[in-house]
Amino acid sequence: MMKWQAPLRAVAVLGLSGVLVTGCSDSEVANRSEQPPASSPSPSLSPSSSTPSVEPVSAKAQAAEKVKLAVERRISADERQFGSGTNSPCSTSSPQLFTAKCKAAADATSDAAGLALSEIDGRQGFATLDSVARKLQAAVGTYTSLGCATGPTAADTRTACLEPAAVIAQGFADLRGGANAGLAGK
């Protein structure tokens, strides 16, 4: 036997074992390549033509996607700058809760909520996003009117700042959830 025949036999045996392990024969592979995949739906054909019909995207779906993209673009940029949830300077566990850093995050959250409200103005199917945005703006208003960013020393004021700050800290995630709910018409 020649030196090069042994490696060729090994390759042939491996190739054959792959076919045996998968249970496919050459004819099955050929048949499968001629048929469309089972998971992809066949396009519907209109009776008068042989071209597939394409379902148009509804105006409502287009509006929801536009709102989602606008809101997502805005909150993603602000979220990178200020953080969100427990990483937010407005988190109730953050040492920056009573500082200008939280006030800046609150203002950015309020602006993002304002953008969401202007994007959905007069459109149906955005109840969740509308509710979240209005709740955020109210929380920012309360945080500002209490003077939370000025480092209040009165215990009752500091306690009153905790609730709106928690809403603000979660604001970007809640706006994102509201925008996603808008895609479902909620």
Side-chain angles (χ1 to χ4, degrees):
M1 185 175 348
M2 300 187 90
K3 289 183 182 180
W4 55 271
Q5 287 178 329
L8 284 178
R9 276 192 189 166
V11 170
V13 169
L14 285 175
L16 183 59
S17 64
V19 170
L20 292 175
V21 168
T22 61
C24 295
S25 68
D26 287 340
S27 62
E28 286 177 321
V29 171
N31 286 340
R32 285 186 187 163
S33 66
E34 294 171 8
Q35 298 173 356
S39 62
S40 67
S42 300
S44 62
L45 299 178
S46 61
S48 62
S49 81
S50 61
T51 59
S53 63
V54 177
E55 293 294 320
V57 177
S58 72
K60 197 177 222 181
Q62 288 176 342
E65 188 62 33
K66 178 183 177 273
V67 167
K68 168 130 176 51
L69 288 174
V71 171
E72 181 63 40
R73 222 176 282 129
R74 176 60 184 267
I75 61 179
S76 290
D78 289 342
E79 201 169 33
R80 278 190 298 277
Q81 182 178 359
F82 297 108
S84 185
T86 58
N87 295 321
S88 169
C90 297
S91 168
T92 56
S93 63
S94 173
Q96 298 174 326
L97 172 64
F98 300 106
T99 68
K101 181 77 172 176
C102 179
K103 175 69 169 122
D107 290 343
T109 305
S110 180
D111 290 347
L115 171 70
L117 290 171
S118 70
E119 287 289 326
I120 63 175
D121 187 38
R123 293 189 174 128
Q124 296 290 327
F126 295 97
T128 302
L129 183 56
D130 182 78
S131 173
V132 165
R134 291 181 191 288
K135 181 179 178 181
L136 280 169
Q137 288 189 322
V140 171
T142 301
Y143 180 87
T144 301
S145 68
L146 289 171
C148 300
T150 62
T153 55
D156 60 335
T157 303
R158 290 175 77 86
T159 300
C161 289
L162 295 177
E163 184 178 341
V167 171
I168 294 165
Q170 191 60 34
F172 296 132
D174 289 348
L175 284 170
R176 183 174 288 113
N180 286 337
L183 291 173
K186 298 177 182 176

